[in-house]
Amino acid sequence: MNQGKVFLVGAGPGDPELITLKAARRLRQADVVVYDYLANPRIMEHAPPSAERIYVGKQAGDHTMVQEDINALLVRLAEEGKTVVRLKGGDPYVFGRGGEEAAALHAKGLSFEVVPGITSAIAAPAFAGIPVTDRRLASSVAFITGHEDPGKSESSMHWDALAQGVDTLVFLMGMKNLPDIARRLVEEGRSPQTPAAVVHRGASPQQKTVVGTLSDIVEKSREAGMKAPSVVVVGDVVSLRDRLEWYESRPLFGKTIVVTRARAQASVFLEQLEELGARCISFPTIETRPPSSWDEADQAIRSISQYDWVLFTSTNGADYFLDRLKVLGEDVRALKGISLGAIGPATAEALEARGLRVDFVPSEYRAEGIIDELSPKLTPGTRILIPRALKAREVLPEKLAEAGASVHVVPAYETVLPSERAGEVEALFEAREIDMVTFTSSSTVTNFLQMFEGDRGAELLSGVVVACIGPVTAETAKKHGISTGVQPDEYTIDALTASIAAFYSKPS
Ligand code: SAH
């Protein structure tokens, strides 16, 4: 049988973008991923859905599998001919026991490769504004395990040398022994005034940093409730944080924001919020799927040339409708001579992405905007097609008809309630971890409420800030007794993001 191969891959410190291109490629090729506790499960998304995933634990105090068993597992999988990714936090060879796993494979004549990762020993300080070396302040740096009991007599650690001979000391796994570490360094000759920092969950939205000196870092860290996983940095470079801190000062850092948009549409919004430092909880309250019957839309498409206008009221409407054209053997040429309207810039962009020019976008991005600005242009009998969700607001077709148009609404998709994750999100609310919930359409509001038992949804919202994209969404929220705290003047995702940032930048 062909022998497999094991890739010892570093997953980086937590930010899912801080993995290497090679790590992502090895994950895509994996038959099996054997992984430790990961700060961010999104890293696993690089592996194909068909890949077997084996969790072997190894968070402090949670040794799901002992090291010998992990070694044996890797040997067995490689002998079975599998392509195995052994995924480890940070770098596999920095306090990751990667060397022992490689040695076990070597002993059996099995092949392996190492894909180094960004170690938390460097990344966590960097995200806290602390360079581990500096031309003036630190010419040397040591990575030290804090796991070893500094009190034990047979310690292999040269505390005197570390205390006196190395400029920057970075301790991993050091939280439990922090009092002993600080004491020992001072006993062995380091000044008690040496700056020291503890960085918890570095390079993640939950990062927390405490700064002090060797004489008070234990006290300060206890007061702040600092826990593992954290790195402890000791040395003059810590003082640079005053000027070099950049990550925790972003406008939305420390805020947890629930995004209720449909998964397919949420990515831009999530990215914008995360870029500003927010921790985002993606909680799609809408899923779209094709309408239960295409009959009406198909009929409209077959006689498309009879319409003067096609109006699109969402990117979904545009995407589903144009995909359907293709299914029926048509393409955008079928729309030649027909004027196209979009409710707002995102919908217009979806049309333009398909090579269509949009003739009309109202200056106010909602149905009322279309009515006010398009009605004067309509002559009696203007024929308008609106491909949209099965259930949607009726004001647009009604008002356009009142203005004299002949309006034909056809279902191009329908929205359904996703059945997932309400319990998980409810627990986050109960733990008071949520700061804000965002709604980007009326149906995200009503669906959110429906996803919880009875009045529970409204109750959960009463304790947090609610952000709505525009007046229609805010009105729907109000009808359900929910007051809106943030609402942009322009009804776009960009404007919503900007309003949220402004809301949290206000001095409170
Ligand atoms: N191989 C890993 C280290 C594994 S040992 C690496 O290179 O990063 C586990 C220790 O790493 C934790 O106890 C903690 O000290 C540190 N650590 C891991 N991720 C961290 C993070 N995001 N922020 C701070 N410390 C982290």
Side-chain angles (χ1 to χ4, degrees), residues 84-101:
V84 184
V85 167
R86 172 70 179 108
L87 191 63
K88 290 165 170 292
D91 179 273
Y93 278 2
V94 177
F95 303 123
R97 301 188 75 168
E100 293 168 49
E101 294 171 8

Side-chain angles (χ1 to χ4, degrees), residues 13 89-91 94-96 119-121 124 172-173 199-202 229-231:
D91 179 273
V94 177
F95 303 123
T119 179
S120 62
L172 285 81
M173 302 176 283
V199 187
H200 175 66
R201 285 193 191 280
S230 300
V231 298

Side-chain angles (χ1 to χ4, degrees), residues 91-409:
D91 179 273
Y93 278 2
V94 177
F95 303 123
R97 301 188 75 168
E100 293 168 49
E101 294 171 8
L105 294 159
H106 170 80
K108 297 279 183 186
L110 296 161
S111 52
F112 64 87
E113 268 183 35
V114 182
V115 181
I118 297 178
T119 179
S120 62
I122 295 172
F127 276 68
I130 304 169
V132 292
T133 73
D134 179 86
R135 205 163 59 85
R136 285 145 306 164
L137 301 177
S139 316
S140 58
V141 53
F143 302 144
I144 307 154
T145 170
H147 206 53
E148 199 172 323
D149 181 356
K152 80 177 181 195
S153 51
E154 73 276 21
S155 169
S156 60
M157 212 97 87
H158 299 282
W159 284 96
D160 53 339
L162 288 174
Q164 296 169 34
V166 183
D167 295 328
T168 305
L169 306 175
V170 183
F171 291 88
L172 285 81
M173 302 176 283
M175 288 317 280
K176 216 174 92 216
N177 290 329
L178 183 58
D180 288 324
I181 290 168
R183 178 184 51 80
R184 194 73 195 257
L185 290 173
V186 172
E187 276 171 13
E188 299 290 347
R190 196 76 170 225
S191 159
Q193 293 320 309
T194 309
V198 175
V199 187
H200 175 66
R201 285 193 191 280
S204 83
Q206 285 131 299
Q207 176 173 313
K208 190 170 166 190
T209 306
V210 169
V211 178
T213 61
L214 275 182
S215 62
D216 64 13
I217 192 68
V218 172
E219 184 62 26
K220 284 188 164 173
S221 153
R222 184 174 340 113
E223 276 169 12
M226 301 298 274
K227 293 185 299 239
S230 300
V231 298
V232 180
V233 193
V234 178
D236 291 336
V237 287
V238 170
S239 64
L240 294 172
R241 172 173 159 88
D242 286 346
R243 276 169 291 151
L244 303 188
E245 195 292 305
W246 57 279
Y247 185 69
E248 295 165 35
S249 53
R250 292 169 307 155
L252 298 182
F253 185 82
K255 303 298 174 202
T256 300
I257 301 179
V258 174
V259 171
T260 57
R261 274 203 126 185
R263 191 180 305 284
Q265 292 181 312
S267 63
V268 172
F269 192 30
L270 290 170
E271 243 167 56
Q272 289 182 358
L273 294 173
E274 281 172 358
E275 203 106 303
L276 295 170
R279 169 187 174 209
C280 289
I281 310 293
S282 173
F283 181 50
T285 53
I286 293 186
E287 248 169 51
T288 61
R289 61 178 189 207
S292 48
S293 160
W294 276 112
D295 289 353
E296 282 185 69
D298 287 358
Q299 258 172 28
I301 290 172
R302 288 204 182 91
S303 50
I304 192 79
S305 59
Q306 65 166 317
Y307 295 101
D308 303 303
W309 280 89
V310 183
L311 293 183
F312 294 97
T313 55
S314 68
T315 56
N316 278 320
D319 288 335
Y320 276 93
F321 183 77
L322 295 169
D323 285 346
R324 191 64 191 170
L325 271 187
K326 241 193 191 150
V327 173
L328 297 189
E330 297 282 358
D331 62 25
V332 293
R333 286 172 294 180
L335 302 174
K336 187 168 162 32
I338 301 172
S339 300
L340 301 180
I343 197 165
T347 306
E349 228 168 79
L351 293 166
E352 275 155 17
R354 308 254 191 166
L356 291 161
R357 213 187 55 218
V358 179
D359 302 284
F360 170 80
V361 182
S363 51
E364 197 194 4
Y365 309 141
R366 54 177 183 148
E368 284 74 1
I370 301 187
I371 294 161
D372 292 348
E373 295 171 44
L374 192 60
S375 297
K377 297 188 189 173
L378 301 177
T379 50
T382 301
R383 288 152 305 175
I384 302 177
L385 176 66
I386 307 179
R388 57 159 213 198
L390 192 54
K391 276 180 295 180
R393 297 171 70 220
E394 291 304 335
V395 344
L396 180 63
E398 279 170 10
K399 295 282 178 187
L400 290 174
E402 277 172 30
S406 136
V407 184
H408 189 192
V409 176

